[in-house]
């Protein structure tokens, strides 16, 4: 029921004054002799009285209060656990009986004045009109998310209760018994609580990233029920080829056993391994006998050569910082103390090389011959003229004088980021000694750290990075930075900023320069079979500036050499292309586009992991459903108790809820009143003119 009410902050007696003003105005105007009949005169006087009285009333600042009442019927939500385990391990007749009965109950509740809705685990069936037509294809079960989503969706509404059809098996998210729900929950249990005779692979444990040529452990967790004393065979295959086979005796007193494998990581890239326990006679299901492992085989550790003309405390600090990253390893070369090992180095750190004294030529020659990216650390023993001839991005002209400076981060360098505490900790570092003179940067050089003298920040670089051709160089114009690491360790728990600065430099120098003009890549390195696979695309012109609107062809190939093609255009604000969900396996992709008349191509690979969570547990968990019911002062129901469930909901006598909303507005803001008054004035003016007056 809706209602209006006028409110004014002045005394209501002033309304009589407004009426008196209107009456006086009409009497003064129409009390004289007129050329029209008395009936018209009375009508004109009434209109003038109404207009003037209402205008005076508006001067009192009246407000209109509008109260709207909305009646909301109680809502019953039917939450259906449409996971695969429900259809796989429930009696089909029982499940059909339950869904048909719930649909009939839903229709009867609607006839009784209830609103009903259906919610499922899978978004595609979220608005299903018929419970019996729900598809049981969800690959995971997260009942907590389902019930919490219902609670959030109907917050502040008349939610009378939720009927949950489920087997109680949860394999994702937290247990719903730990959540508090503000509605009555009516669980209906399906599935079988009797353990089945089965052998299955419960899980695989392995490192997802392994180095090429190394052996890595892959541990199989084998679980059995009812097969104690039986021999089971576990096979490990790659690309359909059996790598290893093991036979184990299942122990009656030990339902879970570990079966270890040692696998050789051959080649580079994504590798797909399949582990299977051979089916045994009398197994309830073989859907859980297979699991898949996906690993990324990468090149061995990044090798960093640390070369110096003579021993120095900086060397220990730099090596300690580099080795905080377990993917890096260092080799030391100091002439006369440690030999130069002939290896394939990814990065070289040259401490005060080239130097004023001979001895480090071997490391310099290695850098020149193999074009290895280098970090040059300058100091008192550096030969700056020889360094300038290397064209490493920085050119220094000095008379031999030095200056003491502190470090300040450049706000324009975005290739890598330092920790948030970098600004504060850099100011705590002790001053470092640098060459005093003119410092010039090459056009392709960026500044990472600037020099600061006292409190004055200069435009001279302290640390700069150069990109030239296919390799990078970096130059640190100060030695003695070992004090930075010690100072940061003394003031803080860890020298986080110093270590991160050095490891970021090594990572940047060791990474090959990306000169591709077409870059197409999946938004994730790994997907699950329930995920939607998405690709992003970047295109560049000859100056490596981003361009948009390029037509790109993407081809996806699975392990069976089956190919699917997709066409899309890259856009500045577009999210790429969504190719939908894919079955589990390793996939390769090739993308091509014509950019300014030149054919460009990019390729790569990604993994889709087969979840198989729904096949792991065939035993329904009705205890969980019972606990959910107890938490909301309800009870657990079975398909044979549909009539009882319906009666319990109707006997709960859920009432309609009336929601009221109040709106307060100035009366003068109502536009229709303006047009009403304007209409009365115009009618009065027209009648006076029509009857010969002015």
């Amino acid at each position: 029921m809706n209602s209006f009410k006028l409110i004014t902050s002045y005394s209501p007696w002033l309304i009589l004054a407004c009426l008196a003003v209107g009456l006086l105005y009409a009497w003064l105007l129409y009390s004289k002799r007129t050329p029209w009949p008395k009936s018209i005169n009375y009508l004109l006087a009434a209109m003038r009285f109404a207009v003037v009285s209402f205008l005076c009333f508006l001067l009192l600042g009246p407000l209109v209060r509008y109260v709207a009442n909305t009646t909301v019927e109680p809502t019953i939500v039917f939450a259906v656990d449409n996971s695969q385990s429900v259809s796989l391990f429930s009696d089909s007749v029982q499940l059909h009986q339950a869904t048909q009965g719930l649909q009939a109950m839903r229709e009867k509740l609607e006839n009784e004045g209830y609103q009903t809705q259906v919610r499922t685990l899978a978004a595609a069936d979220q608005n299903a009109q018929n419970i019996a037509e729900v598809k049981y294809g969800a690959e995971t079960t997260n009942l907590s998310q389902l019930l919490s989503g219902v609670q959030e969706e109907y917050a502040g509404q008349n939610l009378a209760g939720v009927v949950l059809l489920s087997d109680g098996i949860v394999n994702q998210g937290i247990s719903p018994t730990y959540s508090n729900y503000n509605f009555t929950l009516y669980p209906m249990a399906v599935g079988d609580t009797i353990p089945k005779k089965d052998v299955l692979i419960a899980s695989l444990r392995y490192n997802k990233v392994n180095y090429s040529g190394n052996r890595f452990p892959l541990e199989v967790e084998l679980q059995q029920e009812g097969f104690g004393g039986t021999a089971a065979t576990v096979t490990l295959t790659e690309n359909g080829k059996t790598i290893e086979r093991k036979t184990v005796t299942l122990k009656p007193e030990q339902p879970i056993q570990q079966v270890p494998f040692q696998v050789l990581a051959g080649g580079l890239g994504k590798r797909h391994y399949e582990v299977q326990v051979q089916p045994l006679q009398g197994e309830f299901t073989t859907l859980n006998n297979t699991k898949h492992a996906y690993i990324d085989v990468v090149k061995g550790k990044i090798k960093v050569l640390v070369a110096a003309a003579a021993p120095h405390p900086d060397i220990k600090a730099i090596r300690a910082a580099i080795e905080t990253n377990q993917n890096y390893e260092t080799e030391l070369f100091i002439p006369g103390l440690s030999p130069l090992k002939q290896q394939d180095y990814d990065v070289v750190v040259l401490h005060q090389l080239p130097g004023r004294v001979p001895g480090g030529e071997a490391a310099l020659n290695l850098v020149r011959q193999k074009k290895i990216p280098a970090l040059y650390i300058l100091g008192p023993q550096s030969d700056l003229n020889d360094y300038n001839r290397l064209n490493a991005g920085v050119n220094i002209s000095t008379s031999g004088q030095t200056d003491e400076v502190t470090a300040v981060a450049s706000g324009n360098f975005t290739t890598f980021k330092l920790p948030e505490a970098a600004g504060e900790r850099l100011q705590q570092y002790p001053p470092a000694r640098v060459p005093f003179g003119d410092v010039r940067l090459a056009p392709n050089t960026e500044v990472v750290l600037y020099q600061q003298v006292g409190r004055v920040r200069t435009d001279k670089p302290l640390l700069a990075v150069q990109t030239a051709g296919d390799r990078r160089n970096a130059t640190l114009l100060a030695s003695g930075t070992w004090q930075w690491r010690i100072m940061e360790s003394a003031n803080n728990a860890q020298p986080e900023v110093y270590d991160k600065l050095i490891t970021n430099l090594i990572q940047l120098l060791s990474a090959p320069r990306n000169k591709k003009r077409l870059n197409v890549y999946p938004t994730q390195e790994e997907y699950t079979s329930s995920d939607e696979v998405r690709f992003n695309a970047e295109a560049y012109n000859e100056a490596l500036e981003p361009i948009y609107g390029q037509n790109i062809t993407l081809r996806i190939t699975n392990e069976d050499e089956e190919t699917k093609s997709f066409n899309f255009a890259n856009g500045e604000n577009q999210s790429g292309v969504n190719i939908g969900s894919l079955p589990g396996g390793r996939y390769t992709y090739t993308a091509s586009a014509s950019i300014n008349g030149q054919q460009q191509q990019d390729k790569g690979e990604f993994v889709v992991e087969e979840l198989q969570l729904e096949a792991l547990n065939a035993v329904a968990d009705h205890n969980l459903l019972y606990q959910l019911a107890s938490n909301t002062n309800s009870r657990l129901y079975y398909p044979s108790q549909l009539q009882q469930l319906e009666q319990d909901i109707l006997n709960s006598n859920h009432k309609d809820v009336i929601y009221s909303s109040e709106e307060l507005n100035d009366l003068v803001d109502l536009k229709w009143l303006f047009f009403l008054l304007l209409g009365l004035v115009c009618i009065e003016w027209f009648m006076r003119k029509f009857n010969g007056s002015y």
Side-chain angles (χ1 to χ4, degrees):
M1 182 178 180
N2 303 331
S3 63
F4 291 91
K5 187 176 182 180
L6 285 174
I7 303 173
T8 177
S9 58
Y10 295 93
S11 172
W13 293 104
L14 290 178
I15 298 177
L16 297 177
C18 296
L19 296 174
V21 171
L23 184 64
L24 179 63
Y25 196 108
W27 181 80
L28 290 175
L29 187 61
Y30 290 102
S31 63
K32 302 175 184 178
R33 170 175 271 179
T34 59
W36 48 75
K38 284 187 176 181
S39 59
I40 295 178
N41 197 56
Y42 287 145
L43 178 62
L44 294 174
M47 286 191 289
R48 181 57 61 100
F49 165 74
V51 170
V52 173
S53 297
F54 196 77
L55 289 175
C56 291
F57 177 66
L58 290 179
L59 295 176
L60 301 180
L63 302 173
V64 59
R65 183 175 69 181
Y66 175 71
V67 178
N69 296 320
T70 304
T71 302
V72 179
E73 297 84 1
T75 300
I76 296 293
V77 174
F78 289 84
V80 180
D81 174 4
N82 62 328
S83 59
Q84 294 175 357
S85 65
V86 173
S87 60
L88 286 174
F89 307 124
S90 297
D91 182 85
S92 59
V93 175
Q94 182 193 59
L95 182 60
H96 180 74
Q97 175 190 351
T99 55
Q100 291 286 357
L102 289 177
Q103 179 60 29
M105 182 194 304
R106 180 187 180 193
E107 294 170 359
K108 185 171 182 179
L109 290 175
E110 289 178 348
N111 293 333
E112 294 290 335
Y114 285 83
Q115 293 185 7
T116 64
Q117 295 290 335
V118 178
R119 292 293 179 266
T120 66
L121 296 171
D125 297 325
Q126 218 37 291
N127 296 318
Q129 297 301 315
N130 193 323
I131 300 175
E133 296 176 358
V134 171
K135 306 298 182 184
Y136 294 84
E139 297 183 340
T140 60
T141 305
N142 190 338
L143 292 183
S144 177
Q145 184 182 62
L146 173 62
L147 297 176
S148 298
V150 171
Q151 181 166 273
E152 292 175 6
E153 182 179 356
Y154 289 91
Q157 302 184 42
N158 190 10
L159 180 59
V162 175
V163 178
L164 173 64
L165 176 68
S166 175
D167 57 6
I169 299 174
V170 175
N171 48 44
Q172 272 199 351
I174 64 173
S175 173
T177 57
Y178 297 135
S179 301
N180 294 319
Y181 302 111
N182 57 7
F183 52 79
T184 303
L185 193 60
Y186 303 96
M188 174 160 287
V190 292
D192 195 348
T193 58
I194 299 175
K196 310 297 189 299
K197 192 175 181 182
D198 196 16
V199 60
L200 60 95
I201 297 177
S203 66
L204 300 178
R205 287 195 288 270
Y206 57 93
N207 293 328
K208 290 199 171 185
V209 178
N210 293 280
Y211 294 112
S212 177
N214 291 348
R215 288 193 173 273
F216 66 92
L218 189 153
E219 193 169 84
V220 182
E221 188 175 88
L222 199 61
Q223 184 175 331
Q224 61 86 18
E225 178 69 40
F227 282 104
T230 306
T233 301
V234 182
T235 58
L236 174 65
T237 61
E238 180 183 13
N239 298 329
K241 180 182 178 181
T242 300
I243 300 175
E244 192 173 353
R245 178 182 286 107
K246 287 190 175 183
T247 301
V248 295
T249 300
L250 302 176
K251 301 177 182 179
E253 72 284 357
Q254 190 174 346
I256 298 178
Q257 294 176 231
Q258 310 299 328
V259 183
F261 289 92
Q262 287 292 325
V263 187
L264 177 64
L268 298 175
K270 310 288 185 184
R271 315 295 289 185
H272 176 195
Y273 298 93
E274 182 180 292
V275 181
Q276 182 182 35
V277 54
Q278 297 300 319
L280 298 177
Q281 186 68 30
E283 266 194 89
F284 173 73
T285 179
T286 59
L287 294 174
N288 48 24
N289 285 34
T290 304
K291 267 198 171 296
H292 301 266
Y294 303 92
I295 71 162
D296 193 6
V297 180
V298 299
K299 183 183 175 182
K301 291 186 177 182
I302 300 296
K303 292 184 173 60
V304 182
L305 173 63
V306 180
H312 195 281
D314 279 353
I315 297 173
K316 182 175 179 58
I318 292 171
R319 294 186 70 186
I322 293 173
E323 290 173 355
T324 57
N325 189 322
Q326 61 180 0
N327 294 324
Y328 299 155
E329 63 180 14
T330 62
E331 290 288 345
L332 180 63
F333 168 60
I334 299 177
L337 295 179
S338 57
L340 177 59
K341 297 181 180 179
Q342 297 301 317
Q343 297 184 15
D344 291 330
Y345 296 105
D346 298 285
V347 181
V348 176
V349 178
L350 297 169
H351 187 271
Q352 301 195 68
L353 291 177
R356 296 181 180 178
V357 296
E361 292 79 6
L364 291 168
N365 291 334
L366 182 66
V367 171
R368 295 190 189 98
Q369 293 170 5
K370 296 190 175 183
K371 297 182 179 180
I372 305 174
L375 167 60
Y376 296 91
I377 300 176
L378 306 183
Q381 301 303 316
S382 296
D383 189 326
L384 297 182
N385 292 327
D386 283 351
Y387 166 78
N388 290 335
R389 284 191 283 270
L390 295 174
N391 296 320
V394 180
N395 188 282
I396 305 171
S397 299
T398 179
S399 60
Q401 295 179 322
T402 59
D403 200 358
E404 287 190 346
V405 301
T406 54
V408 58
S410 169
N412 298 324
F413 186 79
T414 58
T415 305
F416 61 75
K417 291 185 178 181
L418 294 174
E420 294 182 0
E424 177 185 349
R425 295 192 185 184
L426 287 174
Q427 295 297 315
Q428 299 173 358
Y429 287 173
R433 191 167 294 277
V434 300
F436 177 77
D438 184 26
V439 181
R440 294 186 300 275
L441 297 177
N444 55 3
T445 303
E446 296 181 80
V447 177
V448 183
L449 300 176
Y450 280 102
Q451 299 180 18
Q452 180 170 306
V453 180
R455 295 188 177 181
V456 179
R457 171 175 168 170
T458 70
D459 58 358
K460 293 182 179 181
L462 180 59
L463 174 61
V465 176
Q466 176 207 38
T467 303
D470 295 328
R471 63 192 181 97
R472 296 182 173 95
N473 292 306
T475 302
L476 178 62
L477 280 73
S479 66
T481 58
W482 60 274
Q483 300 177 74
W484 294 0
R485 195 170 194 269
I486 289 180
M487 180 64 72
E488 188 176 1
S489 297
N491 295 337
N492 305 278
Q494 295 291 335
E496 180 185 9
V497 172
Y498 182 90
D499 291 350
K500 194 67 175 174
L501 176 65
I502 298 299
T503 54
N504 280 346
L505 278 174
I506 299 302
Q507 182 179 5
L508 177 61
L509 294 174
S510 61
R513 186 185 180 191
N514 183 8
K515 297 188 297 181
K516 293 190 300 184
R517 294 176 57 191
L518 178 65
N519 188 18
V520 179
Y521 53 93
T523 56
Q524 301 173 205
E525 288 188 358
E526 290 187 2
Y527 294 91
T528 65
S529 51
S530 62
D531 293 335
E532 292 184 332
V533 180
R534 296 179 180 271
F535 276 79
N536 286 341
E538 300 168 358
Y540 302 90
N541 59 19
E542 293 181 355
L544 294 182
E545 298 170 332
I547 54 177
Y548 305 100
Q550 305 301 304
N551 294 320
I552 299 171
T553 300
L554 176 65
R555 293 181 177 85
I556 308 293
T557 305
N558 63 15
E559 293 174 297
D560 296 328
E561 302 300 326
E562 298 172 342
T563 301
K564 292 182 179 180
S565 295
F566 305 87
N567 295 300
F568 66 101
N570 72 312
E572 186 171 3
N573 297 316
Q574 295 178 2
S575 58
V577 61
N578 180 356
I579 66 174
S581 58
L582 295 172
R586 181 177 63 88
Y587 292 83
T588 59
Y589 66 88
T590 302
S592 59
S594 178
I595 301 178
N596 296 334
Q598 296 182 359
Q599 196 69 20
Q600 303 293 330
Q601 192 178 79
D602 192 18
K603 60 179 62 176
E605 56 186 352
F606 63 96
V607 162
V608 177
E609 186 172 355
E610 195 74 48
L611 289 177
Q612 297 178 311
L613 294 178
E614 291 298 310
L616 286 180
N617 192 356
V619 181
D621 188 357
H622 291 177
N623 287 332
L624 180 140
L625 300 177
Y626 174 82
Q627 185 63 44
L628 281 175
S630 299
N631 291 347
T632 59
N633 298 318
S634 179
R635 54 166 290 189
L636 179 64
Y637 300 86
Y638 293 93
S640 59
Q641 299 173 309
L642 281 166
Q643 190 67 30
Q644 182 64 48
L645 171 59
E646 181 182 307
Q647 289 301 318
D648 289 348
I649 294 176
L650 293 175
N651 293 338
S652 297
N653 197 23
H654 297 290
K655 302 294 185 181
D656 294 347
V657 175
I658 299 177
Y659 294 96
S660 295
S661 62
E662 181 178 306
E663 188 175 350
L664 199 64
N665 294 312
D666 289 322
L667 187 62
V668 72
D669 291 337
L670 300 179
K671 293 182 179 180
W672 64 271
L673 287 177
F674 166 77
F675 290 106
L676 176 63
L677 294 175
L678 180 63
L680 291 174
V681 171
C682 292
I683 291 172
E684 182 188 357
W685 175 84
F686 176 78
M687 293 180 66
R688 289 169 62 94
K689 284 289 186 180
F690 184 79
N691 288 280
S693 182
Y694 54 88

